Amino acid sequence: MTFDELLAKYEPALAAAFRQAIEEIKSGIVLRVVVERLERGDVNGAVDAMQIEPEVFSALEIALQDAFNAGGTNAVAELPKVMDPQGNRVIWRFGVRNPVAEAILRDLSSTMVTHITDDQRQGIRLALEQGLARGANPRSTALDVVGRQSRVTGRREGGVIGLTRYQIEFIERARLHLDSGDPDLMNRYFELKTRDKRFDRTVMAAIRAGKPVTGEALAKIIGRLRDKNLLLRGEML
């Protein structure tokens, strides 16, 4: 396989494994517990209740191992044919059980998963704090983070779980701009590459009317922004 062919095969597998882990986290959340802890002002307790632990990303680690092994095997296949001093052909082989390869893979997967879980917890804590700070009630704040349950699929959709801390900050800033009523700030929405352009007319109409985007319209715009950034997050990995 060429390097591009390897990417085409294993990039989707890694992204899918990441999305699987995020869905597992969302489906395991007991909203009542998160809300109760937010009502007590226990933001850290609310984050803990979401159980974002390294073990949930085991499928991602397996997908990473598969990609690593395929890359090594492919690299060995590209090595030149050589002969030893006795005239015998040197046979090149690659295996993830090689001590050096094992150490590299272990460090790579551990670093990736640790970074993902730590960043997730920091980002979610930030989102909860900002939600409460802008006056949203604990239940609404929790739903903005964990996502709302679809009546069609029964699965949680939207929310910020899976996004990086910087993506969460970026989306919260977009919310503040749209809710500001300031035309200059609201116009920055059109600079966002991950926006859903179907909402452009809604935002433009609000700017022309000199009003902020609020309520259900704002919730839908921010929800789509979160969804598209989650897809981007999978591609980034």
Side-chain angles (χ1 to χ4, degrees), residues 73-91:
T73 301
N74 190 73
V76 166
E78 296 294 323
L79 292 175
K81 296 178 180 179
V82 297
M83 309 294 285
D84 67 15
Q86 287 73 43
N88 299 310
R89 182 183 169 188
V90 175
I91 305 297

Side-chain angles (χ1 to χ4, degrees), residues 10 20 41 46 68 80 118 126-127 140 197 211-212 216 234:
Y10 288 98
Q20 176 186 329
F68 185 83
D118 288 350
L126 173 70
S140 178
K197 294 183 180 179
K211 298 179 179 179
E216 187 178 349

